[in-house]
Structures are given as C-alpha cells and as structure tokens.
Amino acid sequence: MCGIVGYTGHRQAAPILLDSLSRLEYRGYDSAGLAVRNGTALAEVVKATGKLYHLADKTDQGRALTGNCGIGHTRWATHGDPSVVNAHPHVSGNCSGSGSGAVESDVVGVHNGIIENYTELKEKLLRHGYVFYSDTDTEVAVKLVDYYYKKYKIGPVDAITRCMVRIRGSYALALMFKDYPDEIFAARKDSPMIIGIQDQESYLASDVPAILKYTRQVYYIDNLQVARVSPGKVLFYDLNGDEVSMPLTEITWDAEAAEKGGFEHFMLKEIHEQPQAVRDTLNSLVKDGRIDLSETGLTDEIIQGIEQIDIVACGSAWHVGMAAQYVIEDLAGIPVRVELASEFRYRNIPMDRKTMVIVISQSGETADSLAALRVAKERGTMTLAIVNVIGSTIAREADHVLYTLAGPEIAVATTKAYSAQLAAADVLAIHLARIREKITQEREDEMLAELALLPDKMARILEEKERLQWFSSKMANTHDIFFIGRGLDYAISLEGSLKMKEISYIHSEAYAAGELKHGTISLIETGTLVIGVLTQKELYEKTVSNMMECKSRGAYLMGITTNGNFSVEDSVNFTVYIPKTDEHFMASLAVIPLQLLGYYTSVKGAFRSSWAAARSLLKTVHWTVFRARRTP
Ligand code: M6R
C-alpha cells in the first residue's frame, strides 16, 4: 500500500519527510520520492526505485534538498511498472518524469488509491494538449487539477473540488501549488489521510505512525473534504468549497499499535482489510458494470480457443485454484485441472497452445510456481498469471497478467490476498462463460451485482467476530480438527484447515466429506472437532450425514451455513451463519469465519503456552528458593 507524508514549518522538510516515510515502510513499497519547496523557488523532485535508503542516498539523507515545505511518497505499483518515472511525486508540467531536480510545474502531487476512470480523464487532457510521461493514474489527477486551476482561474481548493467531482475511485491526494509557497493541499475519498499539528508546524500522513514522533494532535480529514495546510494551521472545505470545522483529536496509541492500525496482529488487520481488497480488485476488473480484462491482453479469440485450463499454484493460492475449478467448469464448461506447482513442474502432462495454464501467486516469486510457469511455457501453452505483486517475476514472465489489488500482505498467513484472488478468479470465470456464450448477458449482470455486494457481506461477518472468539476459546484445547465439505465446500475446507494448523499448530485435516468413511473416520474420537462447510444446496444433506457419522463417534460438530437456507442447529453443536450470495461465490464469505477461528485459536493457544511457561518458571523459582533455604 502506498504511503503519503507532508511537512510545512520552520525546519528543513526533507529529513523529516524521509524519517516519516521510513515509519510507513512496513506497508511495503517499490519506489519512493520527495518534492520540496524552498520559498517561492520551484519544487525540487527526487525519486528512486527500491528501498528508501536509495532516496536517502540520492539526497544526502535529505540534507541536499533545501526548503521548509514538502511532500513524500512510497509507492506500491498499481498502474504501471515500479520505475522512477512512475514513482511519485508527479507534476503537471511537461517533463521527463525522471525526478532529478527543480521542475517547472504549477502543481506537484502524490496520491494513494485507484482512479477508476483515469483512461477517460487522460483522453480529455490529451485533447487539451497535456503530455504524459508516466503510466500512472496519479499523473492524470495532478494534471486534471492543473487544468481546472488554469481554465477557470480559480484557487487550489476550487480546482481540487472540481477535480474530485470528476474522479471515480478512491484517493488521498497531497498537492503543492507553485503560487502558494509553504502550503500543502490535501483531499481524500475512501483512502485515509491525517493532518498533525504541533506549534508552528504541520504534518500530513496517510497513516498515524508516520508522524507520531512529531505530534499526537491530529485532524482526521473527512471523506470528500479538502484541507489547506500551512505551518501550524489547517482549514477544511467541503465539496462546495465552503469552510467546515473539524475536531482536533489526540492519538493515545503507541507506535507499534498504530502501525497495526490498532489491531493486535497484522493477520487480524489484514482479515479486516478483506472487504477493501475485494472491492479494489473487483473495481479494477469491472468498469461501468462490464468486465474489462483488456489490460490482460486476453482477447475473445483467445478465450474461444481454450480447450483445457490447468491451474497451478502452492498453498492457499492452490486452494483458490480448487475453488476456481468448480466455478469455471460450472459456468464456462471448460475442463479444469488444478495442480500443485511443486508436482506439476516434474510431471510430463501433455498440453498444447489450446491449454491455458493459470498460475496463481500472491508474491509472484514462489519458486515452484515460477518453475511451473516456465515448464508450461516450454511446452508451448498459453500462460496467465493471477498475481498481487506488480512487476514480480511471475507477472513479468507470463503471457497475460491479471493483477489482484490486495496491497502488501505482511502476515505470513495469507488472508486478503486469498480473497482478492478468489474475486479475480470469479470475474475470470464469468468472463470466460460470457465470451463462450455459456451464460446470457442477464446472468452475467446478475452475477456481477452479487459480486459487488460481497465486500459489504464480508464486513457483516467481521462484525460478528466475537462469537468466533468465544468458540475458539472453548475449543483451544482440541488436538485434532477436521474440516469437511463437498464440491466448492471442500475447497473452502482446505483453506480453513491450512489457516488453523499454520498458526495455531493444532493438527487439522481437510477432507472431501464423502471420502472420510474410506479409512480416516477411524481417527474421529470423543472431542474431535469436525467443522462442516455447508454452503452448497445440492450437497448439503450429504455432508450433514457425514457429520452425523462423526457425531456417533463422539465428535463435536460445528457447521457453517447460510442464513435461513439450511437448518443445522438441531444436528450440530455450534452454527455459524453467513449471508446468502450466489453459490459460486460462497468461498469468499465462508472463509472469513474460518480465518477468524484459526486466528483466535492461535491467540488463545499462545496465551495458554505463555501461562504454562510462566507456571513452570514460578515452579523453578519456588524450588530454587526452597532448596536454598534448606541448604546450610
Ligand atoms: O506468494 P504465493 O501466493 O505464491 O505463496 C504461495 C503459498 O506459499 C502461500 O499461499 C501460503 O500457503 C500461505 N502464506 C499460507 O497462509
């Protein structure tokens, strides 16, 4: 996720900006940049790819940039490669975008978020003579502000609000205007931004930890507001350009908690970021109500020629493949094989150009997945990568790339990247089905409408997390957990089981429910927790009867099902209800309680083991003291 910082006051800005950016490094980034004003002089822009120390080296730790007002940015590529030209800040003037010194420009800016209609806005600006040096949506935003600023000869606040009315998507913007030295203008919609004040200094940041060292007095700029920031002072404006007052808040968190946004662990934070990750991913693939995969280069002709799909991945990404298999086969009627990358690379599977190999990977660097991609290419197949990290090796080497927009994932246990991959796979399945005329336009519209509702439904499940927290504390002593389901519910079970064992260290297995009786059922004994995933109408009764077989051996049962659809409360010990959606998309909702279960069980387990460690320490101390007393 990108980071924004800003400073205006009496001290040299660049070292403060670099320091603030360093406090956002945990969010991940691929390039960084600064723009600093020295009074009425032109802004100096410096940018660098890679780690922040490259930017610090380029500017002699900021000392080489004189000036008391500036903005800074760490970029996580969404539009265009990670490169110096695409790195922020961006400028309204005509230049190479190389970011190496004073730039003749009326507006300079940095941006977080995604501008969905940037292509349309760019075309408008091109018609008005603007020239673009980067592939970013940010350069479009900066030039659009410049356009209104000059066309209507209005002030920065009015130019920005005009721009906000035209922009669709999410953004946090920080801008400097040549004619307004010592001032920074900020605006936001659905992307965070705060402004801190201390004496005669003002700070800007997209996240609290960036400025916590300097001030704890902050304003939270509201959605669709503009802020005019000068040393020690901020004015706020609504979309009409009318001044509004905002309350000053004192931050009481410590820095580490702030980095985690108040969550105890990154995993929990990322679980909560899933609605946004799914929303961003869907918005990048569905524009104006229509699926738009043009950026992947997958043409209708290519899609019509596909005879077989092989999905190749590792771990949770492989589980996404398992879920996608059911959805693609059911909707598009294309045979799908799902292969573990570590196996696929050593197999001699016959394939040709009519086979499409889809590699799914969050990092885009997983060795087995990359090797599998290379094997597929050597065998002459067409390859598509579903990847989260822009410019990663898998993304670069695949013939076609479909990016998920989950942002950087810090926790090792994947959650939001998994959900973003599922959403991308669902959109792909619908697109394949529509192009191959397996579904009508009306059906496509219905399914897209359902997909668009998923983020809110995910948020609703998260609101009820306390029940799962309670259940986890009750079950934290369990030694074995089985996750069972059929069809898509089996794919969900695989991910639930991995999340559980990966972080709680409790043994767990995922089984296709009907397979359990072929031997493994002998492991079910009194107290074994069996979790049945029951989201598919056709298969629900069969899975419930498998659960009953487990119950007769003493298992404790939990069921995940949809509200009002299936009644399992009489049969199982604990039921989790999730909202209804199209059955093809159930994995996106059912996985959330399972992630929470894994997380809370592991937290409870960690508490248990630290309590056990404390008890054994107390025992040791007791015996040492006791022996010492008895020793003459
Ligand atoms: O970066 P990738 O998606 O290629 O990683 C694949 C797996 O290592 C990954 O999904 C792993 O299973 C998860 N981190 C588990 O939570």
Side-chain angles (χ1 to χ4, degrees):
M1 223 87 77
C2 308
I4 289 180
V5 298
Y7 171 81
T8 178
H10 50 78
R11 286 186 283 168
Q12 190 176 2
I16 295 173
L17 296 173
L18 281 171
D19 176 60
S20 299
L21 284 178
S22 73
R23 288 161 206 283
L24 296 180
E25 278 193 291
Y26 73 94
R27 296 164 64 90
Y29 61 100
D30 50 56
S31 52
L34 301 175
V36 175
R37 299 283 312 268
N38 190 9
T40 52
L42 290 173
E44 284 212 51
V45 179
V46 185
K47 311 195 269 191
T49 52
K51 289 288 166 199
L52 205 52
Y53 67 80
H54 294 299
L55 184 65
D57 285 350
K58 259 186 160 177
T59 58
D60 185 21
Q61 313 306 312
R63 288 185 288 263
L65 282 179
T66 47
N68 303 340
C69 177
I71 51 179
H73 192 260
T74 42
R75 172 174 188 253
W76 170 270
T78 56
H79 292 81
D81 287 348
S83 63
V84 167
V85 169
N86 287 331
H88 304 204
H90 286 288
V91 299
S92 61
N94 285 341
C95 69
S96 66
S98 62
S100 51
V103 184
E104 179 58 67
S105 184
D106 285 303
V107 188
V108 184
V110 293
H111 158 234
N112 284 358
I114 294 161
I115 295 171
E116 287 159 23
N117 58 337
Y118 83 103
T119 322
E120 160 201 328
L121 298 172
K122 188 170 182 174
E123 278 161 15
K124 169 191 167 79
L125 291 165
L126 283 167
R127 285 197 298 276
H128 285 90
Y130 281 84
V131 178
F132 289 83
Y133 55 80
S134 78
D135 302 321
T136 64
D137 49 350
T138 306
E139 191 190 349
V140 175
V142 171
K143 289 188 164 149
L144 191 66
V145 172
D146 180 76
Y147 168 73
Y148 288 126
Y149 182 60
K150 289 182 180 140
K151 177 173 179 189
Y152 296 108
K153 298 193 180 16
I154 47 182
V157 172
D158 290 330
I160 294 168
T161 53
R162 272 181 187 268
C163 184
M164 288 164 82
V165 174
R166 289 300 305 269
I167 287 179
R168 280 203 308 276
S170 60
Y171 50 83
L173 279 164
L175 303 159
M176 295 191 299
F177 288 72
K178 186 175 148 203
D179 306 332
Y180 294 77
D182 301 328
E183 288 190 87
I184 302 170
F185 294 83
R188 83 165 194 96
K189 178 179 168 261
D190 298 338
S191 192
M193 175 85 97
I194 56 162
I195 296 155
I197 297 284
Q198 190 69 45
D199 304 324
Q200 289 310 302
E201 298 174 295
S202 297
Y203 303 83
L204 222 99
S206 52
D207 215 348
V208 174
I211 58 173
L212 218 45
K213 176 178 163 191
Y214 302 102
T215 179
R216 287 178 173 270
Q217 308 295 319
V218 304
Y219 292 101
Y220 287 89
I221 170 169
D222 233 340
N223 238 4
L224 293 173
Q225 270 185 356
V226 178
R228 180 175 186 167
V229 187
S230 48
K233 187 178 167 197
V234 197
L235 297 174
F236 293 92
Y237 302 87
D238 63 17
L239 262 192
N240 299 319
D242 294 332
E243 202 179 317
V244 287
S245 70
M246 295 298 291
L248 191 63
T249 308
E250 166 144 17
I251 304 272
T252 51
W253 306 337
D254 62 28
E256 203 206 346
E259 280 176 12
K260 294 187 193 124
F263 290 100
E264 205 178 332
H265 299 104
F266 279 114
M267 182 179 173
L268 189 60
K269 178 173 185 259
E270 288 166 5
I271 287 175
H272 282 79
E273 284 172 352
Q274 290 182 104
Q276 193 60 42
V278 168
R279 192 175 287 124
D280 287 345
T281 301
L282 291 175
N283 285 344
S284 71
L285 303 175
V286 184
K287 291 168 190 148
D288 296 325
R290 288 279 160 269
I291 295 177
D292 178 0
L293 299 189
S294 54
E295 287 189 19
T296 66
L298 279 178
T299 61
D300 293 2
E301 200 189 339
I302 293 176
I303 289 171
Q304 270 144 2
I306 299 171
E307 288 183 359
Q308 163 81 34
I309 291 178
D310 285 0
I311 303 181
V312 187
C314 301
S316 296
W318 181 73
H319 299 159
V320 172
M322 289 294 286
Q325 175 185 40
Y326 296 106
V327 183
I328 296 174
E329 284 184 344
D330 198 46
L331 293 179
I334 306 172
V336 181
R337 257 189 311 228
V338 190
E339 300 292 330
L340 292 164
S342 53
E343 293 291 316
F344 176 93
R345 60 184 291 195
Y346 300 114
R347 279 176 64 188
N348 198 7
I349 302 177
M351 48 179 68
D352 56 24
R353 196 70 197 158
K354 290 178 182 149
T355 304
M356 181 163 79
V357 170
I358 304 179
V359 179
I360 306 178
S361 175
Q362 187 285 126
S363 60
E365 303 293 347
T366 300
D368 282 324
S369 302
L370 177 59
L373 173 78
R374 288 177 177 162
V375 166
K377 289 187 80 174
E378 274 163 22
R379 295 201 188 140
T381 68
M382 176 180 26
T383 55
L384 166 71
I386 299 182
V387 177
N388 195 43
V389 177
I390 295 203
S392 55
T393 314
I394 291 176
R396 286 200 312 273
E397 293 194 14
D399 301 322
H400 306 279
V401 189
L402 198 162
Y403 281 115
T404 51
L405 298 183
E409 202 168 45
I410 315 263
V412 177
T414 182
T415 51
K416 61 175 181 167
Y418 168 91
S419 286
Q421 286 162 355
L422 268 184
D426 287 339
V427 173
L428 179 67
I430 297 170
H431 192 59
L432 296 177
R434 181 71 194 111
I435 299 300
R436 295 165 71 99
E437 294 180 358
K438 297 285 179 191
I439 57 168
T440 60
Q441 186 60 59
E442 198 184 358
R443 180 79 182 108
E444 175 183 347
D445 292 346
E446 267 169 32
M447 284 195 281
L448 290 181
E450 274 302 326
L451 278 181
L453 294 174
L454 283 181
D456 286 345
K457 292 182 180 175
M458 295 168 97
R460 264 164 53 199
I461 300 172
L462 289 168
E463 278 165 18
E464 291 177 22
K465 56 180 181 278
E466 282 76 16
R467 270 194 89 227
L468 285 151
Q469 191 170 9
W470 169 83
F471 185 67
S472 305
S473 65
K474 195 167 145 65
M475 298 312 299
N477 290 325
T478 308
H479 295 292
D480 297 296
I481 306 181
F482 285 81
F483 293 75
I484 62 171
R486 289 169 184 249
L488 195 55
D489 288 338
Y490 170 50
I492 303 167
S493 301
L494 285 165
E495 180 59 6
S497 171
L498 179 61
K499 283 292 90 86
M500 178 59 75
K501 63 186 144 203
E502 185 179 16
I503 52 174
S504 74
Y505 309 143
I506 294 176
H507 166 251
S508 82
E509 302 278 348
Y511 259 82
E515 185 61 16
L516 203 62
K517 58 178 169 284
H518 297 288
T520 312
I521 200 156
S522 58
L523 292 175
I524 309 284
E525 54 187 30
T526 304
T528 304
L529 174 59
V530 175
I531 300 177
V533 184
L534 307 160
T535 71
Q536 306 291 302
K537 203 168 186 174
E538 293 272 294
L539 303 167
Y540 149 81
E541 278 179 358
K542 289 190 183 304
T543 303
V544 170
S545 84
N546 298 128
M547 292 171 80
M548 292 307 121
E549 288 160 13
C550 297
K551 192 174 188 174
S552 66
R553 285 173 163 75
Y556 191 85
L557 301 183
M558 167 178 158
I560 297 190
T561 188
T562 50
N563 220 334
N565 231 5
F566 318 123
S567 166
V568 284
E569 269 174 35
D570 297 342
S571 323
V572 309
N573 303 93
F574 183 70
T575 313
V576 175
Y577 287 108
I578 52 174
K580 280 187 199 158
T581 183
D582 186 302
E583 284 193 2
H584 295 100
F585 312 142
M586 271 299 172
S588 296
L589 301 180
V591 77
I592 292 183
L594 298 180
Q595 294 167 342
L596 289 167
L597 198 66
Y599 170 77
Y600 284 123
T601 307
S602 77
V603 171
K604 191 73 190 166
F607 175 74
R608 239 188 14 241
S609 39
S610 45
W611 174 233
R615 269 205 344 238
S616 94
L617 182 70
L618 282 173
K619 248 185 187 168
T620 315
V621 171
H622 171 82
W623 281 109
T624 313
V625 172
F626 183 71
R627 261 195 234 114
R629 283 211 189 120
R630 292 186 49 177
T631 312

CSV table of all heavy atoms in Angstrom, one decimal, residues 21 31 57 79 90 97 121 156 159 175 202 225 270 285 311 359 391 422 433 442 453 489 514 555 557 581 591 602 627:
chain,number,residue,atom,x,y,z
A,21,LEU,N,8.5,8.7,6.1
A,21,LEU,CA,8.3,7.6,5.2
A,21,LEU,C,8.9,6.3,5.7
A,21,LEU,O,8.3,5.3,5.5
A,21,LEU,CB,9.0,7.9,3.8
A,21,LEU,CG,8.3,9.0,2.9
A,21,LEU,CD1,9.1,9.2,1.7
A,21,LEU,CD2,6.9,8.5,2.5
A,31,SER,N,9.0,1.9,-4.7
A,31,SER,CA,9.8,3.1,-5.1
A,31,SER,C,9.3,4.3,-4.1
A,31,SER,O,8.3,4.1,-3.4
A,31,SER,CB,9.5,3.5,-6.5
A,31,SER,OG,8.1,3.6,-6.7
A,57,ASP,N,20.1,8.2,0.0
A,57,ASP,CA,21.5,8.4,-0.5
A,57,ASP,C,21.5,9.5,-1.6
A,57,ASP,O,22.4,10.3,-1.7
A,57,ASP,CB,21.9,7.1,-1.2
A,57,ASP,CG,22.4,6.1,-0.1
A,57,ASP,OD1,22.4,6.5,1.1
A,57,ASP,OD2,22.6,4.9,-0.5
A,79,HIS,N,-0.8,1.1,-11.3
A,79,HIS,CA,-0.9,1.4,-12.7
A,79,HIS,C,0.5,1.7,-13.2
A,79,HIS,O,1.1,2.7,-12.8
A,79,HIS,CB,-1.7,2.7,-12.9
A,79,HIS,CG,-3.2,2.5,-12.6
A,79,HIS,ND1,-3.6,2.6,-11.3
A,79,HIS,CD2,-4.2,2.2,-13.4
A,79,HIS,CE1,-4.9,2.4,-11.4
A,79,HIS,NE2,-5.3,2.1,-12.6
A,90,HIS,N,4.2,13.4,-8.8
A,90,HIS,CA,4.0,13.7,-10.2
A,90,HIS,C,3.7,15.2,-10.4
A,90,HIS,O,3.3,15.8,-9.5
A,90,HIS,CB,2.9,12.8,-10.8
A,90,HIS,CG,3.3,11.4,-10.9
A,90,HIS,ND1,4.2,11.0,-11.9
A,90,HIS,CD2,3.1,10.3,-10.2
A,90,HIS,CE1,4.4,9.7,-11.8
A,90,HIS,NE2,3.8,9.2,-10.8
A,97,GLY,N,9.8,13.3,-16.2
A,97,GLY,CA,9.3,12.5,-15.0
A,97,GLY,C,10.5,11.7,-14.3
A,97,GLY,O,10.2,10.8,-13.5
A,121,LEU,N,-10.3,10.3,-18.3
A,121,LEU,CA,-9.8,11.6,-18.0
A,121,LEU,C,-8.5,12.0,-18.7
A,121,LEU,O,-8.3,13.1,-19.1
A,121,LEU,CB,-9.5,11.7,-16.4
A,121,LEU,CG,-10.8,11.5,-15.6
A,121,LEU,CD1,-10.4,11.4,-14.1
A,121,LEU,CD2,-11.8,12.7,-15.8
A,156,PRO,N,-6.6,26.9,-5.5
A,156,PRO,CA,-6.4,25.5,-5.4
A,156,PRO,C,-7.6,24.7,-4.8
A,156,PRO,O,-7.9,23.6,-5.4
A,156,PRO,CB,-5.2,25.4,-4.4
A,156,PRO,CG,-4.5,26.7,-4.5
A,156,PRO,CD,-5.6,27.7,-4.8
A,159,ALA,N,-10.1,24.3,-7.5
A,159,ALA,CA,-9.6,23.4,-8.6
A,159,ALA,C,-9.7,21.9,-8.2
A,159,ALA,O,-10.1,21.1,-8.9
A,159,ALA,CB,-8.2,23.8,-9.0
A,175,LEU,N,-1.1,17.9,-2.5
A,175,LEU,CA,-0.6,18.7,-3.7
A,175,LEU,C,0.0,20.0,-3.2
A,175,LEU,O,-0.3,20.6,-2.2
A,175,LEU,CB,-1.8,19.1,-4.5
A,175,LEU,CG,-2.7,17.9,-5.1
A,175,LEU,CD1,-4.1,18.4,-5.4
A,175,LEU,CD2,-2.0,17.3,-6.3
A,202,SER,N,3.2,21.8,10.7
A,202,SER,CA,2.1,20.9,10.3
A,202,SER,C,2.6,19.7,9.6
A,202,SER,O,3.6,19.8,8.8
A,202,SER,CB,1.1,21.6,9.4
A,202,SER,OG,0.5,22.7,10.0
A,225,GLN,N,-13.5,15.8,1.5
A,225,GLN,CA,-13.1,17.1,2.0
A,225,GLN,C,-11.7,17.5,1.5
A,225,GLN,O,-10.9,16.7,1.1
A,225,GLN,CB,-12.9,17.1,3.6
A,225,GLN,CG,-14.2,17.4,4.3
A,225,GLN,CD,-14.0,17.4,5.8
A,225,GLN,OE1,-12.9,17.2,6.3
A,225,GLN,NE2,-15.0,17.8,6.5
A,270,GLU,N,-5.2,-7.6,8.5
A,270,GLU,CA,-5.5,-8.0,7.1
A,270,GLU,C,-6.8,-8.7,6.9
A,270,GLU,O,-7.4,-8.6,5.8
A,270,GLU,CB,-4.2,-8.8,6.6
A,270,GLU,CG,-3.1,-7.8,6.4
A,270,GLU,CD,-1.7,-8.5,6.2
A,270,GLU,OE1,-1.6,-9.7,6.2
A,270,GLU,OE2,-0.7,-7.7,6.2
A,285,LEU,N,-11.4,-4.7,-12.4
A,285,LEU,CA,-11.8,-5.7,-13.4
A,285,LEU,C,-13.1,-5.4,-14.0
A,285,LEU,O,-13.5,-5.9,-15.1
A,285,LEU,CB,-11.7,-7.1,-12.9
A,285,LEU,CG,-10.3,-7.5,-12.3
A,285,LEU,CD1,-10.4,-8.9,-11.7
A,285,LEU,CD2,-9.3,-7.5,-13.4
A,311,ILE,N,-4.7,-25.1,-13.6
A,311,ILE,CA,-4.4,-24.0,-12.6
A,311,ILE,C,-3.3,-24.6,-11.8
A,311,ILE,O,-3.3,-25.7,-11.3
A,311,ILE,CB,-5.6,-23.7,-11.7
A,311,ILE,CG1,-6.8,-23.2,-12.6
A,311,ILE,CG2,-5.2,-22.6,-10.7
A,311,ILE,CD1,-8.0,-22.8,-11.9
A,359,VAL,N,-1.3,-19.5,-13.4
A,359,VAL,CA,-0.5,-19.6,-12.2
A,359,VAL,C,-1.0,-18.5,-11.3
A,359,VAL,O,-1.2,-17.3,-11.6
A,359,VAL,CB,1.0,-19.3,-12.6
A,359,VAL,CG1,1.8,-19.3,-11.3
A,359,VAL,CG2,1.5,-20.3,-13.6
A,391,GLY,N,5.0,-6.4,-11.2
A,391,GLY,CA,6.3,-6.4,-11.7
A,391,GLY,C,7.1,-7.6,-11.1
A,391,GLY,O,8.3,-7.7,-11.3
A,422,LEU,N,-9.6,-15.0,-5.1
A,422,LEU,CA,-10.9,-15.6,-5.4
A,422,LEU,C,-11.8,-14.7,-6.2
A,422,LEU,O,-12.4,-15.1,-7.2
A,422,LEU,CB,-11.6,-15.8,-4.0
A,422,LEU,CG,-11.5,-17.2,-3.3
A,422,LEU,CD1,-12.4,-17.2,-2.1
A,422,LEU,CD2,-11.8,-18.3,-4.2
A,433,ALA,N,-17.3,-17.6,-19.4
A,433,ALA,CA,-18.6,-18.1,-19.7
A,433,ALA,C,-19.4,-17.2,-20.7
A,433,ALA,O,-20.0,-17.7,-21.6
A,433,ALA,CB,-19.4,-18.2,-18.4
A,442,GLU,N,-27.8,-11.2,-19.2
A,442,GLU,CA,-28.6,-11.0,-18.0
A,442,GLU,C,-28.0,-11.8,-16.8
A,442,GLU,O,-27.9,-11.2,-15.7
A,442,GLU,CB,-30.0,-11.5,-18.3
A,442,GLU,CG,-31.1,-11.0,-17.3
A,442,GLU,CD,-32.4,-11.7,-17.6
A,442,GLU,OE1,-32.5,-12.5,-18.5
A,442,GLU,OE2,-33.3,-11.4,-16.8
A,453,LEU,N,-21.7,-7.0,-4.1
A,453,LEU,CA,-22.2,-7.0,-2.8
A,453,LEU,C,-21.3,-7.7,-1.8
A,453,LEU,O,-21.5,-7.6,-0.5
A,453,LEU,CB,-23.6,-7.6,-2.7
A,453,LEU,CG,-24.7,-6.9,-3.5
A,453,LEU,CD1,-26.0,-7.7,-3.4
A,453,LEU,CD2,-25.0,-5.5,-2.8
A,489,ASP,N,-17.4,-26.5,-1.2
A,489,ASP,CA,-17.2,-26.5,0.2
A,489,ASP,C,-16.0,-27.3,0.6
A,489,ASP,O,-15.4,-27.0,1.7
A,489,ASP,CB,-18.5,-27.2,0.9
A,489,ASP,CG,-19.7,-26.2,0.9
A,489,ASP,OD1,-19.5,-25.0,0.7
A,489,ASP,OD2,-20.8,-26.7,1.0
A,514,GLY,N,-17.3,-37.0,1.6
A,514,GLY,CA,-17.6,-38.4,1.2
A,514,GLY,C,-16.4,-39.3,1.3
A,514,GLY,O,-16.6,-40.6,1.3
A,555,ALA,N,-17.7,-37.0,18.0
A,555,ALA,CA,-17.1,-35.7,17.5
A,555,ALA,C,-18.0,-34.5,18.0
A,555,ALA,O,-19.2,-34.7,18.2
A,555,ALA,CB,-17.1,-35.7,16.0
A,557,LEU,N,-19.4,-31.0,16.8
A,557,LEU,CA,-19.7,-30.5,15.5
A,557,LEU,C,-19.9,-29.0,15.4
A,557,LEU,O,-20.6,-28.4,16.2
A,557,LEU,CB,-20.9,-31.2,14.9
A,557,LEU,CG,-20.9,-32.7,14.7
A,557,LEU,CD1,-22.2,-33.2,14.1
A,557,LEU,CD2,-19.7,-33.2,13.9
A,581,THR,N,-25.4,-15.6,-0.9
A,581,THR,CA,-24.9,-15.0,-2.2
A,581,THR,C,-25.1,-16.0,-3.2
A,581,THR,O,-25.5,-17.2,-2.9
A,581,THR,CB,-23.5,-14.4,-2.1
A,581,THR,OG1,-23.1,-13.8,-3.3
A,581,THR,CG2,-22.5,-15.5,-1.8
A,591,VAL,N,-15.0,-18.4,4.0
A,591,VAL,CA,-13.6,-18.5,4.5
A,591,VAL,C,-13.4,-17.5,5.7
A,591,VAL,O,-12.5,-17.8,6.5
A,591,VAL,CB,-12.6,-18.2,3.4
A,591,VAL,CG1,-12.5,-16.7,3.1
A,591,VAL,CG2,-11.2,-18.7,3.7
A,602,SER,N,-5.3,-19.5,17.7
A,602,SER,CA,-3.8,-19.4,17.9
A,602,SER,C,-3.5,-18.4,19.0
A,602,SER,O,-2.6,-18.6,19.8
A,602,SER,CB,-3.1,-19.0,16.6
A,602,SER,OG,-3.3,-17.6,16.3
A,627,ARG,N,15.1,-24.9,48.0
A,627,ARG,CA,16.4,-25.6,48.2
A,627,ARG,C,17.4,-24.8,48.9
A,627,ARG,O,18.1,-25.2,49.8
A,627,ARG,CB,16.9,-26.1,46.9
A,627,ARG,CG,16.5,-27.6,46.7
A,627,ARG,CD,17.3,-28.2,45.5
A,627,ARG,NE,16.4,-28.8,44.6
A,627,ARG,CZ,16.2,-28.4,43.4
A,627,ARG,NH1,16.9,-27.4,42.9
A,627,ARG,NH2,15.3,-29.0,42.6
